[in-house]
Amino acid sequence: MIVGKSVIRLNETVSTNDFLAQLMKNNPVEEGMVVWANYQTGGKGEGGSTWESKRGKNLTISVLLTPVFLSPVRQFTLLKAIALGVKDFVSLYTDTVFVKWPNDIYVGTDKIAGILIENSFIGDRFENSLVGVGFNVNQVYFSKDIPNPVSLKILLKKNLDLNECFNLLCNALNSRYLMLGKKKFAELDEDYHNSLYKREQKTTFHTLERSFEATISGVEESGKLILLLKDKTLKSFGFKEIKY
């Protein structure tokens, strides 16, 4: 067991990723260390966004990983493994679970979890990765400016035990990380592609300049989204170039 081998439980912190990063500056931290906070005052999402989570209602965790076996050019494969681990966990409770490119987890058309990975490199190799996961478990009421949130409690109409959820989530992440360590890249790629939200469905996409319809064809090794356009040509887009 790597993920969850050791755990620090906090009542409150600004950000679990920031707490773990600061901890590493002053102490040796073993791989798989998980920081779990009951409440974050400044939880972070992708692209500088914030992550809303009510006190004591959800899972807001960060995991230290040291994937030194992985080439930096394959860093998106790490995100695939983590996203699939979170999806596997959600799938224990419900179906129609998807990965919305690049790093959100959806049930149906609603978002239940987000992932933020902050990688560090030394030269041409990995040093470490801080893997942050925010997961809606028992929260029912969300801010009005969050467009489509959902939680396990909303789906199942009951409270869930956070400790049990935490252990199951760590096990799911651990299983996928072990696959990554065994370099089962093809299997991870296939599972990620098959899990993509709205894959092979005509969907409206938005760039800064325009909106257009296209179909998700797949994802490049670099993480770029491959779209099949109306004229039957393929075009790739990076994280900040497109939204859907």
Side-chain angles (χ1 to χ4, degrees), residues 8-101:
I8 294 177
R9 184 76 182 268
L10 303 172
N11 183 48
E12 181 177 304
T13 191
V14 175
S15 156
T16 52
N17 265 29
D18 289 350
F19 179 92
L20 189 51
Q22 189 60 42
L23 183 69
M24 292 166 57
K25 288 182 179 180
N26 304 312
N27 305 275
V29 179
E30 64 177 338
E31 183 178 30
M33 163 74 77
V34 180
V35 176
W36 175 14
N38 287 335
Y39 182 64
Q40 294 183 116
T41 59
K44 297 190 293 185
E46 183 67 35
S49 62
T50 59
W51 179 262
E52 177 189 293
S53 181
K54 299 297 184 185
R55 186 182 298 272
K57 294 290 186 181
N58 304 312
L59 292 176
T60 49
I61 70 170
S62 291
V63 187
L64 170 65
L65 298 176
T66 55
V68 294
F69 53 84
L70 200 63
S71 167
V73 298
R74 279 198 174 271
Q75 60 183 290
F76 192 79
T77 310
L78 172 62
L79 190 149
K80 289 179 183 177
I82 298 301
L84 288 169
V86 179
K87 176 185 178 287
D88 293 343
F89 165 66
V90 186
S91 298
L92 296 174
Y93 297 93
T94 188
D95 51 14
T96 65
V97 186
F98 304 101
V99 179
K100 183 173 182 287
W101 176 87

Side-chain angles (χ1 to χ4, degrees), residues 128-146:
N128 58 61
S129 297
L130 302 181
V131 177
V133 178
F135 190 95
N136 300 328
V137 181
N138 290 324
Q139 186 168 337
V140 175
Y141 301 104
F142 295 84
S143 299
K144 291 182 179 179
D145 58 351
I146 300 178

Side-chain angles (χ1 to χ4, degrees), residues 7 20 22 42 45 50 58 62 73 87 103-104 109 130 137 150 152-153 155 183 206 208-209 211 215 240:
V7 181
L20 189 51
Q22 189 60 42
T50 59
N58 304 312
S62 291
V73 298
K87 176 185 178 287
N103 55 356
D104 289 334
T109 58
L130 302 181
V137 181
V150 75
L152 287 179
K153 182 174 182 179
L155 293 169
K183 299 189 176 182
H206 308 278
L208 291 175
E209 295 81 21
S211 298
T215 304
K240 298 180 181 180

Side-chain angles (χ1 to χ4, degrees), residues 160-211:
L160 287 94
D161 183 285
L162 285 179
N163 289 301
E164 179 180 330
C165 289
F166 173 80
N167 291 329
L168 289 172
L169 176 58
C170 286
N171 287 336
L173 292 172
N174 190 72
S175 294
R176 289 293 185 171
Y177 186 60
L178 291 178
M179 286 180 64
L180 188 69
K182 293 175 182 177
K183 299 189 176 182
K184 295 185 176 182
F185 301 142
E187 188 173 343
L188 289 168
D189 289 346
E190 181 179 6
D191 288 350
Y192 183 86
H193 281 84
N194 290 338
S195 300
L196 279 172
Y197 179 64
K198 293 196 173 182
R199 177 173 174 258
E200 297 182 348
Q201 297 179 33
K202 190 174 291 185
T203 305
T204 300
F205 295 85
H206 308 278
T207 67
L208 291 175
E209 295 81 21
R210 65 189 180 105
S211 298

